[in-house]
Amino acid sequence: MDEYSGGFKMSAERIYNIDQARGTFASRVEIDVDAALATSGFMQELKQVLKPAVPGNCPVCVRYDAGPACAEIVLGPEWKVIPGGVLLERLSGLAGEGRVRLIYPETRRVLTPTGPASRRGRPDHHRSGAAVSFA
């Protein structure tokens, strides 16, 4: 409260646009892939989608689910991306709605999750942080 004007007053050390905030605070990009999607040339298409966004600072993790077998594959450092809006839209178009998330560390959360913490009814015990899904 600004006692002089009687209104509210705010000061900031830094102001980010959404892409700058994503690049600064996101700790990784997660992509859910099931067996049907993985067999349809997904990895080659993923490579083409990621190329314009590298090099960056944000690791990419592919979470593969084939029913009884699941794996989490973190792509190598040469595939770290700048998690901008265009990349996230292209990834969502490739993987499907609700299958792409930005993960933010719990201690530096800047956005509120838009989706459930668990996917497809399965608890996600190993992940710490806030998740933001992109349609």
Side-chain angles (χ1 to χ4, degrees), residues 6 8 10 15 17 37 39 41 44 46 54-55 62 65 67 79-80 85 101 104 111 116 118 125 128 132:
F8 292 102
M10 181 186 312
I15 298 175
N17 68 32
L37 183 60
T39 59
Q44 282 301 323
L46 178 61
V54 296
V62 176
D65 185 351
W79 291 106
K80 287 185 177 183
R101 284 174 304 288
Y104 294 90
L111 298 176
S118 64
H125 299 290
S128 64
V132 179

Side-chain angles (χ1 to χ4, degrees), residues 29-34 36-38 40 42-43 45-46 49 61-63 87-101 120 134-135:
V29 176
E30 287 187 354
I31 307 164
D32 290 337
V33 179
D34 59 25
L37 183 60
S40 65
F42 175 81
M43 291 309 286
E45 291 182 54
L46 178 61
V49 169
C61 176
V62 176
R63 297 177 58 120
L87 173 67
L88 297 171
E89 287 176 27
R90 292 187 70 203
L91 288 173
S92 291
L94 176 63
E97 186 176 332
R99 293 179 173 232
V100 176
R101 284 174 304 288
R120 295 185 294 277
F134 295 90

Side-chain angles (χ1 to χ4, degrees), residues 4-24:
Y4 178 74
S5 69
F8 292 102
K9 178 175 140 180
M10 181 186 312
S11 63
E13 291 178 22
R14 280 209 157 131
I15 298 175
Y16 300 94
N17 68 32
I18 190 68
D19 282 343
Q20 291 169 332
R22 288 174 178 147
T24 301

